[in-house]
Amino acid sequence: MDGSEVIRTSATATAACRTSCSSGSGLAAVPTTVVASAQSTTVTTTTVTAVADPPFSLHHEQSLDWADGLLTLPREVEEGNVEYKRKLVNPTPLRLEHLITQMKWRLGEGHGECIYEIGVDDDGSPCGLSDEDLAASLATVRTMCASLSADMCVVQERPGRQGKIVELLIRQHSKGALIDIRVAVIGNVDAGKSTMIGVLTTGRLDNGRGLVRAAVMNHKHEIETGRTSSISQQIIGFDSNGLSVNDRHCNLRLLTWPEIVQESTKLVTFIDLAGHEKYISTTIHGLSSHTPDYSCIMIGSNAGVTKMTQEHMIVAVGLKVPMYIVVTKVDMCPPNILEETMALISTKLRQMRKTGFVVRSREHAVTASKQIPNDTVVPIFLVSNVTGVGFDNLKLFLNLLPVRELWASGHQLPAQFQIEANYVVAGIGTIVSGVCQGGTIRANQVLLLGPDNNGNFQRTVIKSIQYKRTNVLQITAGQSASLALKKVKRKEITKGMMLLDPSMNPQALWEFDAEVLVLFHSTTVKVNYQPFVHCGVVRQCCKIVRIHEGDILRSGERAMVTFRFVYHPAYVVEGTRLIFRDGRAKGIGKVVRANPKFASPENARGLPPAENGRGPPPAENGRGPPPAENERGPPPAENGKAPAASENGRGPPENGRGGPPGDGRGVS
């Protein structure tokens, strides 16, 4: 089946999906297209079995084998949160104790959740179990879960050689540290980003005129115009059984954040970003500083892939944020327009060397959730905010999203907190909000706040911590929170600041080396080129002072360059991804060297700092020489334009403004 047939199949299936968001006519993808048709589909009361050529791996980025319509998984590995069990029938007490210890290890690897494949050998063979053995095995798993304060739910059921295979989701009850997934929602204006977030977090459908988005937006003008101009956050919670907490009592009232946190074991935080072109700087800053685990690309089915949609996709790919696509407004889009939109999505994904996969059933949602961390497969959901089509699969996908390994090693690091915003609360003082990048931050802990415009750090004490508007005693790496600081004024907090453990002995840098790729530039990039750089929470104009290989860079070329901050030093961490832009020109890169020798202006620029402590004299920072020496002429007292100033600095005495009154007409 060629690409055009695939897209036509997609449009036809979309029309069929409008009647039910949990239709059993699932489609499996093929390696190089967005969607493919299944060879056969069998629907029963307990499971939906789609026999098709599998498009990609389910576990550990290895290839899967489909033989006789049965799925063979890759061999089990010791690390990770996936466990295979042939059967668990009446284990001895000693064996049961060993199984409980093993489950505890898997839960730790998955940060509180794990997957059990019952009826599968260690080599991945789909053996299957009879109904009696399967019931006994599930009873054993329930006993194991009870001893670890965890719950079990059946994710999917599929056939094996000798019976059935069941995939289980094991999730521990909340003990203060919830599983926290952050999803940045981006896309073109009017794609329905805020509306989709409102439907997910309120449990209510939209009326087609912006009913639910009012609960998401921050400002009155956003509600009136329907366009987001700021960064807002909303949460959806899932309990240990995988059910949405937000849907409870949604017909009576909306749950508050503390209520959602209390009843949930897993949270998904949506970061709603602006889609209009004039807010592109805010959108890039939100993607860079909020450190999202995943990105959701919203595309209106009637508008297609617009210029801003492509811009946002490029930023997500540049920051190495795995993404999935949600195509909205399928209830009002003609089939031929939807066909064109799907074809364009397929083209753009192929250009980015990614494979699209349309999710049309529960089984596809499970498959997509396991593949998205690999950042090679892009799940595609077709939804309607008015009719609710596709939201069941989307919620299941969000419930199964795994924690990225980005934070696995962060718990052993010293405390690091990235400040995104600051404000003042009466009676409490200065509050900063952001993401914990490493270690554990506790109440009454002493941290270093900085760097300021002079590159200095000051000691402060964490008075209290709020996580999702709930008071907590500590937060760990990967969690976003708000911290109350002691004896710090709001005016002392500037952009690019962090809270760091004193043992790190942090230093602010003027220069850093980065490996960059120029995505687009109308001419060439040379030394002294000054783009605007987004690097974590740091957003500042930088100057390229050296290109290590060659003298110029053109579109599509890579090189190692040295950036110098123009206005003040900043704290930069090696390995952080960055985006630089200047008008339509843009590029991506990664910090490869943040050397302490660049920590002072003396070493970075070869000159002592200026007397005001804000860096070297203006003549050396690329902004021009001092006023007395530049092209505007000698000092005012000598160029004939005005007499010397009086002693009070307000003008000559003769003009009546700085000394004794004269004739009121200036100089005699």
Side-chain angles (χ1 to χ4, degrees):
M1 182 168 57
D2 60 14
S4 60
E5 292 175 348
V6 168
I7 300 302
R8 283 195 292 273
T9 303
S10 171
T12 304
T14 301
C17 269
R18 297 175 185 174
T19 58
S20 174
C21 58
S22 59
S23 173
S25 57
L27 301 177
V30 295
T32 58
T33 59
V34 174
V35 62
S37 61
Q39 298 174 0
S40 63
T41 302
T42 304
V43 181
T44 66
T45 57
T46 58
T47 182
V48 178
T49 304
V51 181
D53 293 333
F56 43 73
S57 62
L58 291 176
H59 300 288
H60 318 301
E61 302 184 7
Q62 298 181 25
S63 300
L64 301 181
D65 180 22
W66 284 72
D68 300 327
L70 301 178
L71 174 63
T72 301
L73 300 177
R75 180 176 294 274
E76 182 188 51
V77 295
E78 296 297 331
E79 296 78 17
N81 67 332
V82 180
E83 179 69 27
Y84 300 165
K85 289 300 177 187
R86 175 66 175 86
K87 63 180 179 179
L88 299 171
V89 179
N90 299 326
T92 63
L94 183 61
R95 171 64 174 164
L96 181 61
E97 183 178 353
H98 172 73
L99 292 173
I100 293 174
T101 304
Q102 191 178 54
M103 178 177 285
K104 184 177 180 180
W105 162 261
R106 294 297 186 185
L107 288 170
E109 288 287 286
H111 304 277
E113 65 180 11
C114 63
I115 299 293
Y116 265 61
E117 299 280 355
I118 306 298
V120 178
D121 278 335
D122 290 344
D123 61 356
S125 301
C127 298
L129 295 175
S130 62
D131 292 340
E132 295 78 9
D133 288 346
L134 182 59
S137 298
L138 294 181
T140 302
V141 175
R142 291 191 186 95
T143 303
M144 297 159 54
C145 292
S147 63
L148 296 175
S149 300
D151 283 335
M152 175 197 78
C153 65
V154 178
V155 175
Q156 67 174 340
E157 185 178 304
R158 63 180 184 270
R161 294 194 182 99
Q162 303 174 7
K164 298 177 182 178
I165 296 174
V166 173
E167 182 174 333
L168 303 176
L169 171 65
I170 314 296
R171 183 173 292 166
Q172 278 186 311
H173 300 159
S174 174
K175 295 181 180 180
L178 302 179
I179 303 172
D180 191 0
I181 306 291
R182 284 189 304 280
V183 178
V185 183
I186 53 181
N188 189 44
V189 64
D190 299 331
K193 298 183 295 296
S194 300
T195 302
M196 186 208 66
I197 295 175
V199 172
L200 288 172
T201 57
T202 63
R204 303 171 181 174
L205 295 177
D206 190 49
N207 62 353
R209 296 183 296 274
L211 175 66
V212 297
R213 71 184 178 204
V216 177
M217 294 179 169
N218 290 330
H219 307 292
K220 181 180 178 181
H221 70 86
E222 294 179 335
I223 300 176
E224 293 174 349
T225 61
R227 293 182 175 180
T228 302
S229 61
S230 60
I231 301 176
S232 65
Q233 297 188 22
Q234 298 294 325
I235 62 173
I236 179 174
F238 297 95
D239 59 18
S240 55
N241 293 314
L243 301 177
S244 173
V245 173
N246 298 56
D247 294 345
R248 301 175 184 174
H249 319 297
C250 62
N251 294 327
L252 300 177
R253 67 180 182 89
L254 300 180
L255 296 180
T256 62
W257 280 32
E259 291 174 332
I260 295 175
V261 171
Q262 175 135 20
E263 299 182 22
S264 303
T265 58
K266 181 175 185 176
L267 293 175
V268 177
T269 303
F270 295 103
I271 306 169
D272 189 17
L273 301 176
H276 199 279
E277 184 176 3
K278 66 180 180 180
Y279 303 125
I280 184 63
S281 179
T282 301
T283 301
I284 294 178
H285 173 65
L287 276 169
S288 176
S289 65
H290 284 74
T291 322
D293 299 299
Y294 304 96
S295 60
C296 171
I297 311 294
M298 299 289 296
I299 299 177
S301 59
N302 56 346
V305 183
T306 62
K307 172 186 172 183
M308 287 311 302
T309 302
Q310 298 179 50
E311 292 274 352
H312 293 173
M313 293 174 71
I314 290 173
V315 173
V317 172
L319 294 176
K320 293 292 184 180
V321 181
M323 63 181 178
Y324 65 93
I325 295 175
V326 176
V327 181
T328 61
K329 306 180 183 179
V330 297
D331 58 316
M332 59 177 289
C333 182
N336 62 315
I337 301 300
L338 180 61
E339 179 180 336
E340 295 176 3
T341 300
M342 297 298 291
L344 192 54
I345 292 175
S346 175
T347 301
K348 296 302 178 183
L349 290 179
R350 282 198 300 268
Q351 293 174 356
M352 298 178 182
R353 298 181 181 180
K354 297 183 182 295
T355 302
F357 176 57
V358 176
V359 177
R360 299 198 182 280
S361 68
R362 183 180 180 90
E363 286 68 31
H364 293 162
V366 174
T367 299
S369 66
K370 296 172 182 175
Q371 273 306 293
I372 188 173
N374 300 340
D375 201 18
T376 56
V377 175
V378 180
I380 304 174
F381 297 85
L382 305 174
V383 304
S384 169
N385 295 321
V386 175
T387 64
V389 169
F391 273 94
D392 285 351
N393 294 331
L394 182 58
K395 288 182 180 179
L396 176 62
F397 171 77
L398 295 173
N399 174 47
L400 298 176
L401 274 179
V403 178
R404 291 183 65 189
E405 294 301 322
L406 175 68
W407 309 113
S409 59
H411 297 279
Q412 309 300 326
L413 300 175
Q416 305 173 48
F417 188 84
Q418 202 166 256
I419 298 177
E420 301 163 359
N422 63 87
Y423 44 94
V424 175
V425 176
I428 297 179
T430 303
I431 308 292
V432 295
S433 63
V435 179
C436 181
Q437 297 290 324
T440 301
I441 298 179
R442 301 177 176 85
N444 299 319
Q445 184 175 355
V446 178
L447 297 176
L448 296 179
L449 173 66
D452 56 16
N453 288 338
N454 298 325
N456 300 322
F457 291 81
Q458 62 171 310
R459 298 174 71 89
T460 185
V461 177
I462 308 300
K463 295 195 296 184
S464 61
I465 304 174
Q466 276 203 350
Y467 171 73
K468 309 300 181 187
R469 304 176 188 173
T470 303
N471 291 324
V472 295
L473 296 178
Q474 67 179 31
I475 57 173
T476 58
Q479 293 183 324
S480 57
S482 298
L483 312 179
L485 305 184
K486 186 176 183 180
K487 295 183 179 180
V488 175
K489 297 181 180 179
R490 185 183 182 185
K491 64 180 181 181
E492 298 176 4
I493 301 176
T494 59
K495 297 177 182 178
M497 278 191 167
M498 297 188 67
L499 288 167
L500 304 170
D501 191 278
S503 63
M504 298 177 62
N505 190 24
Q507 291 182 323
L509 307 177
W510 278 102
E511 295 182 358
F512 63 93
D513 293 339
E515 184 179 357
V516 301
L517 167 64
V518 181
L519 298 177
F520 173 78
H521 196 282
S522 57
T523 57
T524 58
V525 174
K526 303 178 181 179
V527 174
N528 295 327
Y529 175 63
Q530 296 189 13
F532 197 84
V533 176
H534 297 265
C535 183
V537 290
V538 178
R539 41 178 173 166
Q540 188 180 158
C541 183
C542 291
K543 178 180 178 180
I544 295 180
V545 296
R546 181 187 176 191
I547 300 177
H548 293 237
E549 299 94 8
D551 298 327
I552 60 175
L553 291 176
R554 294 183 173 86
S555 297
E557 294 184 349
R558 298 176 181 267
M560 184 80 68
V561 301
T562 300
F563 284 102
R564 175 187 296 166
F565 291 111
V566 171
Y567 299 111
H568 53 79
Y571 181 77
V572 179
V573 180
E574 292 183 1
T576 305
R577 296 199 169 268
L578 60 87
I579 293 179
F580 61 92
R581 60 185 182 85
D582 177 24
R584 294 188 60 191
K586 65 180 66 67
I588 58 177
K590 182 174 69 172
V591 178
V592 296
R593 189 166 68 102
N595 200 314
K597 76 175 185 179
F598 296 147
S600 63
E602 293 89 338
N603 292 327
R605 306 188 182 191
L607 289 173
E611 295 180 358
N612 61 5
R614 299 186 62 184
E620 300 297 327
N621 65 1
R623 302 181 64 188
E629 301 296 332
N630 62 8
E631 67 277 9
R632 300 177 63 183
E638 301 178 6
N639 64 2
K641 292 186 178 180
S646 63
E647 294 181 359
N648 61 8
R650 300 184 61 187
E654 294 80 10
N655 65 2
R657 300 180 61 186
D663 58 3
R665 293 181 296 176
V667 182
S668 58

